[in-house]
């Protein structure tokens, strides 16, 4: 089963992912994978990091002004550091064992990440597997790459659109629903 969060940038998808992972781990459900996180300095966004669920951190993208060597892969003003991203992401997305009931977390499957051909192939493998594994992932809200669209439209996908910014008042509603669905499967 695939549990997919989608929504505009900045609405709180990563916040929800982190909250869900924390609750699943407290319930004894193992999680593996990664999330992405903004990097800010004095309130100014410098880029994005990738952080594995076991604590390994590396650079995903940086404002080109902060890079000594400009990246040939860019999204807006950000240069994507494909090699560093691959080293961390691919190691965290090890092959799923069909007999395990771990939850694989992939935040995010998007334009920056898809500059990595190896990552793109790994995502294709994960989402085309015949195993009954559980994947919790985020994807862009706008139509994009055919692989992302196939994830969105897969009959095994539960898709939640995060429409408004995650706040103290609404953050417990969505994650409780997702945690309950995952817990009922495991």
């Amino acid at each position: 089963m695939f549990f997919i969060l989608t929504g505009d940038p900045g609405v709180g998808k990563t916040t929800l992912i982190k909250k869900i992972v924390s609750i699943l781990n407290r319930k004894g459900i193992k999680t593996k994978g990664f999330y992405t996180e903004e990097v800010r300095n004095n309130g100014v966004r410098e880029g994005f990091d990738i952080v594995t669920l076991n604590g390994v951190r590396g650079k995903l993208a940086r404002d080109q002004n902060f890079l000594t060597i400009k990246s040939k892969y860019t999204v807006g003003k950000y240069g994507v550091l494909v090699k560093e991203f691959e080293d961390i992401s691919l190691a965290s997305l090890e092959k799923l064992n069909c007999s395990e009931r771990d939850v694989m977390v992939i935040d995010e499957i998007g334009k920056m990440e898809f500059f990595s051909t190896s990552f793109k192939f790994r995502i294709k493998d994960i989402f085309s597997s015949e195993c009954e594994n559980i994947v919790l992932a985020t994807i862009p809200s706008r139509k994009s790459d055919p692989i992302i669209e196939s994830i969105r439209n897969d009959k095994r996908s539960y898709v939640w659109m995060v429409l408004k910014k995650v706040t103290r008042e609404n953050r417990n509603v969505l994650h409780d629903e997702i945690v309950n669905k995952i817990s009922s499967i495991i």
Side-chain angles (χ1 to χ4, degrees):
M1 302 306 303
F2 309 137
F3 297 85
I4 309 299
L5 296 174
T6 187
D8 290 336
V11 295
K13 297 181 300 293
T14 299
T15 301
L16 279 172
I17 289 279
K18 290 162 75 173
K19 179 84 172 175
I20 292 165
V21 166
S22 174
I23 293 168
L24 291 173
N25 289 336
R26 281 198 310 268
K27 289 179 160 235
I29 298 170
K30 290 201 288 186
T31 56
K32 56 186 168 187
F34 69 89
Y35 60 90
T36 57
E37 190 170 73
E38 278 188 354
V39 176
R40 291 189 172 269
N41 189 4
N42 295 323
V44 176
R45 185 166 66 190
E46 290 182 359
F48 301 90
D49 277 356
I50 175 175
V51 183
T52 67
L53 297 184
N54 61 359
V56 177
R57 177 183 285 271
K59 295 174 186 166
L60 166 59
R62 289 296 184 270
D63 184 319
Q64 290 276 47
N65 295 321
F66 292 99
L67 294 175
T68 52
I69 300 171
K70 304 293 183 216
S71 173
K72 67 178 183 175
Y73 305 103
T74 61
V75 175
K77 67 179 183 175
Y78 299 103
V80 180
L81 306 165
V82 173
K83 172 78 170 95
E84 190 165 348
F85 169 72
E86 285 178 339
D87 290 346
I88 295 170
S89 68
L90 297 175
S92 75
L93 299 177
E94 64 201 35
K95 201 90 167 141
L96 288 171
N97 180 335
C98 286
S99 63
E100 291 178 359
R101 298 305 281 176
D102 298 347
V103 176
M104 181 168 285
V105 177
I106 311 168
D107 172 46
E108 139 164 14
I109 303 168
K111 188 172 185 177
M112 285 186 186
E113 296 80 9
F114 270 11
F115 282 121
S116 165
T117 304
S118 298
F119 178 75
K120 199 171 192 175
F121 284 135
R122 186 70 190 104
I123 292 303
K124 204 172 182 179
D125 287 346
I126 289 167
F127 284 91
S128 64
S129 171
E130 294 299 318
C131 291
E132 293 288 323
N133 295 111
I134 298 170
V135 178
L136 173 62
T138 62
I139 60 173
S141 59
R142 291 170 184 81
K143 295 217 181 284
S144 56
D145 186 275
I147 294 173
I148 294 170
E149 292 312 304
S150 72
I151 293 167
R152 183 187 321 273
N153 297 312
D154 191 297
K155 66 180 186 222
R156 298 171 291 173
S157 291
Y158 292 94
V159 179
W160 285 270
M161 175 68 90
V162 183
L163 293 173
K164 55 186 173 184
K165 195 146 184 81
V166 176
T167 64
R168 233 175 251 257
E169 291 75 31
N170 68 17
R171 69 180 174 199
N172 293 333
V173 177
L174 192 52
H175 82 265
D176 281 345
E177 182 181 337
I178 295 168
V179 166
N180 290 337
K181 276 197 182 289
I182 291 173
S183 297
S184 73
I185 293 169
I186 292 183

